[in-house]
Amino acid sequence: MTNPHWIYTQTIKTFAAGAEPPFEDEAELLHTWGKVWGIDNDVGRIRSILMHRPGTEMNVVDPAKRLAEIGSYGDPAVGWYFQSDTPPDIPLMQSQHDAYVAALQAEGVEVHFVDGEAGNRLKQVYTRDPLIMVKGGAIVCRMGARIRRGEELAITRTLARLGIPILRTISGSGIMEGGSFAWLNEKTCAIGVGVRVNREGAEQVGEVLARQGVELLIVELTGYDIHLDVSFLMIDRDLAILNPMGLPYSFLEELTRRGIRYIETDPGDDPWIVNSIAIAPGKLLIPEGATNRTLDRLAASGVTWTTVPYAAVHKNGGGLHCSTTPLIRDKV
């Protein structure tokens, strides 16, 4: 056998890898990428998470830039906004964020932080939004707010450092933010579309999900609500907590049809209660401000929780859920 071309082709045939198992197969990920990155649910025990500690980016808030007619701070010419009646208390934000990190670490969660400086992107603490974790890796989003454009670069560098596969980057005219993405179960996801997420962005995410055999539900958000996670959160395998005022009735019907029970928040609750986070099935970290009525409903459903003060970070426009992106969760 002296024909070089024949030797070459037979060698290539013998050592071809083939298409199966698929990319997101656990053994394939472990062999190729060193870890089984990605998630297929929103309630399995969190093993690894991505965060950003508030820092010098908060200095962009100028107390002289008061939008009296709105009641918050901002500069439309630059693009930043801080929706509070008082300027940020940066040391308090940092201490509350540090306590949140400590609470996660106490549960055995490995906490990673975003690489690089945030510039003047004062929303970068909300790491939920620049990426979405699916089976096998990440989808890098395209942010819907001007002040947040550019966070995608820091996220991409961080993913590369950690060795997390990037399965898609939202492109073209698509806009997508991870706070509007939710896993209902391993075969079903939901995306809320509205002022900060459009159907083009949702459809690009859906293309990745379809290849993994995952169904995508589109939820029309109400008014100027920016994300699904201000109104909806899975907290156990078949249990959610939600604010029905921010969701269409058709979505509530869909949840019931799929066997997902839900607890409605009370009008007396701090609205950020929905923006809690499940660290394991039926085990939550929640902010202060839940009414006894809501806590009783949680307890009656077998849910336990630890309270984490987070009001100073809420003033920047996000909560506990917004401030994290789980990178690895256990299956449920």
Side-chain angles (χ1 to χ4, degrees):
M1 301 299 180
T2 58
N3 184 306
H5 184 67
W6 184 91
I7 295 172
Y8 171 78
T9 57
Q10 293 304 303
T11 302
I12 295 302
K13 180 181 75 173
T14 300
F15 291 95
E20 297 294 336
F23 180 92
E24 61 273 11
D25 176 82
E26 291 189 3
E28 183 80 359
L29 284 169
L30 188 61
H31 177 266
T32 306
W33 296 89
K35 284 188 178 181
V36 183
W37 294 109
I39 64 175
D40 65 0
N41 68 84
D42 274 350
V43 300
R45 179 163 291 279
I46 300 172
R47 300 298 178 181
S48 181
I49 209 162
L50 184 65
M51 302 181 74
H52 170 78
R53 187 176 190 262
T56 56
E57 71 273 8
M58 297 306 304
N59 293 329
V60 72
V61 178
D62 181 355
K65 300 288 186 177
R66 179 75 170 166
L67 303 174
E69 69 278 12
I70 296 176
S72 59
Y73 296 88
D75 186 342
V78 176
W80 68 265
Y81 63 92
F82 186 76
Q83 62 261 47
S84 173
D85 56 0
T86 57
D89 185 335
I90 300 173
L92 183 56
M93 290 178 69
Q94 291 173 331
S95 67
Q96 290 187 347
H97 191 271
D98 291 344
Y100 184 22
V101 170
L104 289 164
Q105 291 174 330
E107 292 291 336
V109 179
E110 181 182 26
V111 179
H112 298 282
F113 292 92
V114 177
D115 289 353
E117 295 297 322
N120 66 356
R121 299 181 180 94
L122 76 167
K123 307 291 183 181
Q124 193 166 358
V125 62
Y126 305 126
T127 54
R128 178 72 53 165
D129 299 323
L131 75 160
I132 293 168
M133 291 300 291
V134 297
K135 298 176 185 179
I139 298 171
V140 177
C141 296
R142 180 171 181 250
M143 307 297 279
R146 184 151 51 105
I147 193 62
R148 303 202 67 176
R149 291 274 170 89
E151 290 183 35
E152 301 93 337
L153 178 58
I155 288 296
T156 300
R157 287 172 171 160
T158 305
L159 294 172
R161 173 178 59 82
L162 295 174
I164 299 175
I166 296 175
L167 308 184
R168 177 83 184 235
T169 299
I170 302 303
S171 60
S173 58
I175 53 173
M176 181 71 221
E177 296 184 349
S180 225
F181 177 87
W183 286 92
L184 305 188
N185 53 52
E186 66 175 2
K187 291 294 184 182
T188 315
C189 293
I191 290 179
V193 298
V195 66
R196 294 272 282 272
V197 174
N198 63 14
R199 284 186 172 268
E200 172 62 24
E203 289 170 2
Q204 291 184 35
V205 174
E207 291 170 0
V208 177
L209 295 173
R211 288 182 170 86
Q212 300 184 350
V214 177
E215 179 185 6
L216 175 61
L217 305 179
I218 300 296
V219 182
E220 294 284 351
L221 299 179
T222 61
Y224 295 107
D225 279 355
I226 63 173
H227 295 147
L228 185 61
D229 70 356
V230 300
S231 299
F232 174 81
L233 179 74
M234 291 297 299
I235 57 177
D236 207 339
R237 292 172 178 86
D238 62 351
L239 180 66
I241 187 170
L242 57 81
N243 179 357
M245 296 179 66
L247 299 169
Y249 182 66
S250 59
F251 183 58
L252 304 183
E253 287 185 307
E254 192 64 32
L255 294 175
T256 300
R257 189 179 74 81
R258 293 170 182 268
I260 297 174
R261 300 170 293 126
Y262 54 84
I263 295 169
E264 295 187 11
T265 54
D266 187 81
D269 287 328
D270 186 304
W272 291 112
I273 294 302
V274 175
N275 203 259
S276 300
I277 185 170
I279 54 175
K283 187 173 185 179
L284 308 180
L285 295 180
I286 68 172
E288 297 172 319
T291 60
N292 288 335
R293 184 179 289 110
T294 294
L295 295 178
D296 288 345
R297 290 170 180 165
L298 290 170
S301 295
V303 176
T304 61
W305 62 87
T306 299
T307 301
V308 179
Y310 215 58
V313 186
H314 290 160
K315 288 186 175 183
N316 197 20
L320 296 176
H321 189 265
C322 295
S323 300
T324 60
T325 290
L327 303 174
I328 301 174
R329 279 189 186 266
D330 289 354
K331 291 183 175 295
V332 296

